[in-house]
Amino acid sequence: GLACHIGVSNFLIPHLEQLVTDSAVTVVPEVNQIEVHPKFQQRELRGWCHDHGILVQAYASLGTGLLLDDDCVTRTARS
């Protein structure tokens, strides 16, 4: 195929495992864009991606605005 680099969005471990083990798949994703923020860290999924060389790109890093009033977030922003 023509694609050399691909990314996916919201793929969980079972989805990624299927891609990695499917012999018909010739290009494994380089990036998985997932929701990650201090209250939703997805450590297992991030660890799996790290172990398989897939970068994680976070979206909703402030919890779609829910964390703007969080003490830790506001202290960090002020410093």
Side-chain angles (χ1 to χ4, degrees):
L2 298 176
C4 297
H5 308 280
I6 63 168
V8 294
S9 181
N10 297 314
F11 273 42
L12 301 176
I13 293 172
H15 305 125
L16 294 166
E17 284 176 333
Q18 184 178 0
L19 287 178
V20 169
T21 59
D22 188 337
S23 62
V25 175
T26 58
V27 180
V28 175
E30 291 189 26
V31 177
N32 186 16
Q33 184 184 51
I34 58 174
E35 180 180 5
V36 177
H37 51 75
K39 304 285 185 183
F40 189 55
Q41 297 183 21
Q42 300 211 60
R43 288 185 173 138
E44 183 181 3
L45 176 55
R46 289 187 301 119
W48 194 97
C49 287
H50 178 268
D51 292 346
H52 291 84
I54 299 172
L55 299 172
V56 169
Q57 180 181 18
Y59 73 82
S61 55
L62 289 175
T64 62
L66 299 174
L67 298 176
L68 291 176
D69 294 326
D70 182 84
D71 288 340
C72 182
V73 172
T74 56
R75 278 194 315 271
T76 302
R78 287 187 187 115
S79 64

